[in-house]
Amino acid sequence: MNELQLGMLGLGVAAVAGVVFFNKWQERKQRQVAERVLERGHADVLLDAAPATTAGSASAVPGFAADMDAFAPKDDATIDSFSAIDDVDPADSGLSFGANDAPAAAATAAAVVLPAALTATDGRIEPKLGTADVAATGATLSNAALIAERGAEHPAAAGLAGRQGDPAALASAPPSAPASAPQFATANPPATLAVAGAAKDRSAAPVVAARDNAAPAPAPVPAAPSPASLAARETASAQLLLSPLVDYIAVIDAADPASASQLLRSQRAALARLRKPVRWLGCNERTREWEPLREDSVAEYRRLRVGLQLVDRRGPVNEVELAIFQRAMQDLADELIAVIDLAPAQPALEAAASLDGFCADVDIQIGINVISQGLPFPGSKLRALAEAAGMLLDGEGRFVRRDDDGQALFVLSNQESGGFPGEELKTLTTHGVTFLLDVPRVAHGDRVFAQMLELARRFAATLHGALVDDNRRPLAEGALEPIRRAIAQSQAAMAARQVPAGSALAQRLFA
């Protein structure tokens, strides 16, 4: 070993020894600093013996005596009110204790002033959270007593009554909590026809009960919709446009989306041979709702519902039409490489025949005729009377009275051919007009009939005409009661069949 190696070895040993010495010196220095910091002259509050004390004395807690002097009573009397402590206004605190109150009130004061009191047991001082040792007053106070006493003034605190065994929550409750959660009251009366003079739908404004000085409640965080709720919403939106009660529905689920225009063009030639309406629905992937397909739409759909209406006023669907629809839907599914669900044909045909028989039983149209008793009715006067009653001329040459939603309530037609041509009304004359009510297509048929009857009487009085039935016999008052009963029975039967009169389904069935 040469001199260079020996020198390097000596330097290494010296460096290691220096580091070890430096670490020992730093360790000793830090230990001395820690001992000086931690050295205290008081006894350990948990392990060392301490003189017994009463729960109302703050001197039992070393280090807290100076802080608790401000809260200690000046004499043996109980604290008069919170105004004795830092000039707190009793009205702001919501709590007050009179000098002559019952022992429970004094115990309440002790619990508020000393929420974490100490009791001396077995030579040790154990901390107790949330309740005070009230041995000096000879009274005890439970969470339930405090809540019951102040519940009327603090409903929010009263809400803690069900949390038995949680004194920390009671001790931390603020004295001026909100009076109560907001209470909302809404009213949603069913919609009524404007022609019957009923009020429109309305909702009462929310009624909120809360203290003026209460902080506004945080807005609830909306929960993410569950798969079950999403499926229910999809089903509800689909049934608004298609219903198994009146439609034969093909369910198609494709792997890849297709545009609305492509879907509608695909089987147009085949479906044109059907006499019954066909409705197309696609599921909007963003809103999870079903919507009708439109030629001019750029939307694309993977999930389709295509419905063939089973019945209309021309009769039920027949076997040939149903077979054409099934073949067209199967071809569409093959084109899209999609899964299709088609119900058997025979049950659908039987359901269509049953529904058509029911519709025939309730399909009632009531007409009231007004005929002249000499001179014919001038067209200009008929138009003035109709427009004064809120009726407008449509494209078929009839005056139509509609509700607020645009649905036809009843119509006024010309008994003579040609209707009411708008350009020739000034020179037109007629010997009779007819008010017509289509009962299945109108909700609250009894009210609409009463309004139509009143308007027909007004026409007859103004035009010096007469009210007659279809046999041109005078319409007596006794003949009106059977009509009213027929309207009520028809609409009750429709409601029982889950096709209410005037609903969207009824509008489709009786088109």
Side-chain angles (χ1 to χ4, degrees):
M1 185 177 295
N2 55 28
E3 294 180 359
L4 178 60
Q5 292 174 334
L6 290 174
M8 295 297 293
L9 180 60
L11 288 175
V13 172
V16 172
V19 170
V20 172
F21 175 78
F22 180 78
N23 288 341
K24 292 292 184 181
W25 177 72
Q26 288 288 343
E27 182 179 352
R28 184 171 178 232
K29 182 179 178 180
Q30 294 300 325
R31 184 183 298 111
Q32 291 174 352
V33 172
E35 289 176 355
R36 287 197 302 268
V37 171
L38 297 177
E39 184 178 3
R40 287 291 182 268
H42 61 76
D44 193 300
V45 296
L46 295 178
L47 301 178
D48 296 341
T53 182
T54 61
S57 175
S59 61
V61 186
F64 289 114
D67 296 334
M68 298 308 296
D69 283 343
F71 296 96
K74 302 306 180 180
D75 49 23
D76 294 337
T78 57
I79 296 176
D80 216 18
S81 68
F82 271 160
S83 60
I85 304 174
D86 292 341
D87 296 330
V88 176
D89 187 358
D92 295 335
S93 68
L95 296 171
S96 63
F97 307 95
N100 297 324
D101 286 345
T108 305
V112 172
V113 174
L114 296 176
L118 305 176
T119 57
T121 58
D122 299 333
R124 294 186 300 171
I125 301 176
E126 298 285 351
K128 292 185 178 296
L129 301 178
T131 57
D133 184 4
V134 289
T137 61
T140 60
L141 182 67
S142 65
N143 292 340
L146 178 59
I147 293 169
E149 182 180 354
R150 308 309 301 174
E153 297 180 12
H154 296 276
L160 299 173
R163 300 171 55 185
Q164 297 296 332
D166 190 7
L170 180 61
S172 61
S176 58
S180 65
Q183 302 292 328
F184 299 95
T186 58
N188 242 343
T192 55
L193 294 175
V195 297
K200 295 181 180 179
D201 290 346
R202 61 190 182 273
S203 293
V207 179
V208 182
R211 284 193 176 183
D212 294 337
N213 59 349
V221 178
S226 63
S229 65
L230 291 176
R233 184 169 65 183
E234 290 181 11
T235 303
S237 63
Q239 289 184 351
L240 290 176
L241 301 170
L242 290 177
S243 172
L245 294 175
V246 300
D247 296 300
Y248 178 79
I249 303 174
V251 179
I252 301 176
D253 292 337
D256 298 319
S259 66
S261 57
Q262 174 188 349
L263 294 169
L264 293 174
R265 287 196 307 266
S266 175
Q267 302 299 318
R268 179 172 295 168
L271 298 179
R273 299 160 55 191
L274 303 176
R275 298 182 304 155
K276 297 292 185 287
V278 176
R279 286 174 172 79
W280 294 72
L281 298 183
C283 183
N284 189 314
E285 297 294 339
R286 181 177 58 84
T287 62
R288 304 298 297 269
E289 293 184 354
W290 294 88
E291 57 192 23
L293 270 61
R294 302 191 308 271
E295 284 277 7
D296 57 349
S297 174
V298 297
E300 294 185 336
Y301 304 94
R302 290 190 308 104
R303 304 168 61 193
L304 302 174
R305 302 291 184 270
V306 187
L308 172 66
Q309 187 168 316
L310 296 175
V311 174
D312 59 15
R313 273 181 166 157
R314 292 171 294 182
V317 69
N318 57 42
E319 186 175 355
V320 175
E321 290 177 313
L322 188 56
I324 293 173
F325 178 78
Q326 288 179 321
R327 182 71 264 170
M329 292 301 101
Q330 187 62 59
D331 291 344
L332 176 62
D334 294 341
E335 178 182 336
L336 299 176
I337 316 178
V339 177
I340 184 171
D341 183 13
L342 286 172
Q346 190 58 36
L349 294 173
E350 294 174 358
S354 173
L355 182 60
D356 182 65
F358 166 77
C359 291
D361 293 338
V362 298
D363 194 358
I364 301 174
Q365 294 183 341
I366 298 174
I368 299 178
N369 303 304
V370 181
I371 61 173
S372 66
Q373 293 180 316
L375 297 177
F377 301 145
S380 57
K381 200 164 187 177
L382 284 171
R383 180 168 192 167
L385 288 172
E387 292 181 348
M391 306 181 76
L392 298 176
L393 194 63
D394 67 358
E396 300 179 17
R398 308 174 305 170
F399 285 100
V400 183
R401 175 63 187 269
R402 301 183 183 275
D403 61 11
D404 292 343
D405 297 327
Q407 297 293 337
L409 299 177
F410 54 87
V411 299
L412 174 65
S413 60
N414 188 356
Q415 289 185 357
E416 299 178 3
S417 60
F420 293 113
E423 300 81 4
E424 303 174 9
L425 268 177
K426 292 182 180 179
T427 58
L428 180 139
T429 58
T430 181
H431 288 84
V433 295
T434 299
F435 288 87
L436 187 64
L437 169 63
D438 198 345
V439 175
R441 295 175 60 87
V442 177
H444 306 289
D446 52 346
R447 303 181 190 177
V448 180
F449 175 71
Q451 185 183 22
M452 186 180 74
L453 177 61
E454 178 61 27
L455 188 58
R457 286 170 172 168
R458 192 185 311 166
F459 268 63
T462 304
L463 299 173
H464 304 289
L467 294 181
V468 297
D469 58 19
D470 290 340
N471 297 320
R472 290 190 174 266
R473 293 193 298 263
L475 190 62
E477 186 64 29
L480 298 177
E481 188 58 32
I483 296 176
R484 295 189 181 97
R485 286 200 302 268
I487 293 174
Q489 292 172 359
S490 172
Q491 297 204 333
M494 293 182 66
R497 190 67 181 250
Q498 299 181 3
V499 186
S503 65
L505 291 182
Q507 298 285 344
R508 291 170 52 194
L509 283 174
F510 297 92

